[in-house]
Amino acid sequence: EAQVTQNPRYLITVTGKKLTVTCSQNMNHEYMSWYRQDPGLGLRQIYYSMNVEVTDKGDVPEGYKVSRKEKRNFPLILESPSPNQTSLYFCASSLSLAGPYNEQFFGPGTRLTVL
Amino acid sequence: DAKTTQPNSMESNEEEPVHLPCNHSTISGTDYIHWYRQLPSQGPEYVIHGLTSNVNNRMASLAIAEDRKSSTLILHRATLRDAAVYYCILRDATGNQFYFGTGTSLTVIP
C-alpha cells in the first residue's frame, strides 16, 4: 500500500532532550516536506526537500533540522526541544512539484508534547 | 507569496451541493490554486487543483473566476464524510513552498 508513515505517533518529552521524528514514503517521491499544525494558525511548513541531499527552509524552520540521505526517508530533528514546539506534526511527500504530479500525500501525524 | 482568504466555517445539508469560496486577490500569473481537506484526526488530503480553467475530478469541481482573483470548490452532493476543514492554497509554479492558512470548517447536517 502506497503510504507515508511517521514514528512515533505520540511523544511526550522534556525540554532540551534531543528527539527525532521519522518519516518514510514508499512511493519513490522526490519531494518531501514537514509541517506543524497549531490551533488558530493552520498548517505551517517547516522544511522541505526537493530530492536527496537537497533541503530548504520553509516558513517556520527555527529550532528544527532535517536531512535527506535516502529518497524514502526525511527525519525531523529537534536538537533541544522547547515547550513552544509542542504541536501536531505532519510529513508529506509528492512525486514532484511539476505539472500534474504535485499532489501531496500526508502521513498520519505525530503529536509532540514538550514539558 | 500570495495569500488566500476563506470563511472560517460553513454549514450544508446532507445531499445538497456545497460551494466553498476562496479569495486570492493578489494571485500572480504563475500561481496554481490547490484545495486540500483535512478530516478529523487525519492528515490533509488532496482534493483538486487548477491554473485557469475549471477542473473536475471524482471528488469535486473547481471553478476559477475569469480574473483568477477568486475560486470556488464545489462538492456536488455533500455527505457526512465530507465534514472537514477545507484549505485553499496558492503555489507558485516556480516555488517549492505551500501556505495552507486556516481553512474553512465544513459541517454537514444530516
Side-chain angles (χ1 to χ4, degrees):
Chain A
E1 181 190 352
Q3 60 183 348
V4 178
T5 56
Q6 295 178 226
N7 281 292
R9 295 289 313 279
Y10 302 90
L11 179 61
I12 301 174
T13 189
V14 296
T15 299
K17 186 177 180 182
K18 180 179 179 179
L19 66 93
T20 300
V21 183
T22 64
C23 173
S24 182
Q25 49 91 8
N26 61 1
M27 297 170 278
N28 201 36
H29 284 175
E30 291 184 352
Y31 182 89
M32 296 186 75
S33 182
W34 275 104
Y35 297 86
R36 62 178 288 174
Q37 185 170 36
D38 302 289
L41 296 175
L43 281 128
R44 294 178 292 168
Q45 196 168 27
I46 303 171
Y47 268 96
Y48 61 90
S49 169
M50 298 297 290
N51 213 324
V52 176
E53 302 292 2
V54 181
T55 64
D56 209 344
K57 296 177 181 178
D59 213 22
V60 287
E62 295 78 20
Y64 304 95
K65 284 176 58 176
V66 293
S67 68
R68 188 93 182 271
K69 296 188 184 338
E70 306 166 281
K71 201 170 189 178
R72 64 183 293 128
N73 296 322
F74 190 45
L76 179 69
I77 303 156
L78 285 73
E79 296 267 4
S80 182
S82 63
N84 64 13
Q85 293 178 296
T86 293
S87 188
L88 179 58
Y89 291 87
F90 289 102
C91 180
S93 73
S94 173
L95 183 61
S96 80
L97 290 187
Y101 306 114
N102 52 22
E103 172 184 352
Q104 288 193 88
F105 294 83
F106 282 79
T110 295
R111 186 165 293 281
L112 172 66
T113 301
V114 183
L115 302 176
Chain B
D1 290 271
K3 295 293 191 279
T4 62
T5 304
Q6 300 175 254
N8 287 334
S9 61
M10 290 184 64
E11 285 187 351
S12 173
N13 293 320
E14 195 177 10
E15 304 289 318
E16 291 186 358
V18 183
H19 291 235
L20 295 161
C22 181
N23 287 320
H24 27 80
S25 58
T26 59
I27 192 170
S28 72
T30 55
D31 283 333
Y32 279 83
I33 302 160
H34 293 248
W35 284 83
Y36 281 74
R37 73 179 186 181
Q38 188 173 18
L39 303 172
S41 301
Q42 294 188 25
E45 64 176 351
Y46 169 84
V47 177
I48 201 166
H49 79 280
L51 184 61
T52 56
S53 304
N54 295 344
V55 183
N56 300 296
N57 66 19
R58 64 176 178 80
M59 288 181 71
S61 296
L62 175 60
I64 301 173
E66 198 168 330
D67 63 5
R68 299 210 325 126
K69 294 184 185 299
S70 65
S71 61
T72 302
L73 180 72
I74 302 165
L75 307 179
H76 295 286
R77 289 183 67 188
T79 69
L80 297 178
R81 278 203 74 250
D82 291 322
V85 177
Y86 288 79
Y87 297 96
C88 170
I89 304 150
L90 297 184
R91 190 186 74 81
D92 189 320
T94 61
N96 305 318
Q97 292 187 244
F98 288 81
Y99 296 91
F100 270 76
T102 54
T104 296
S105 179
L106 175 67
T107 300
V108 180
I109 302 167

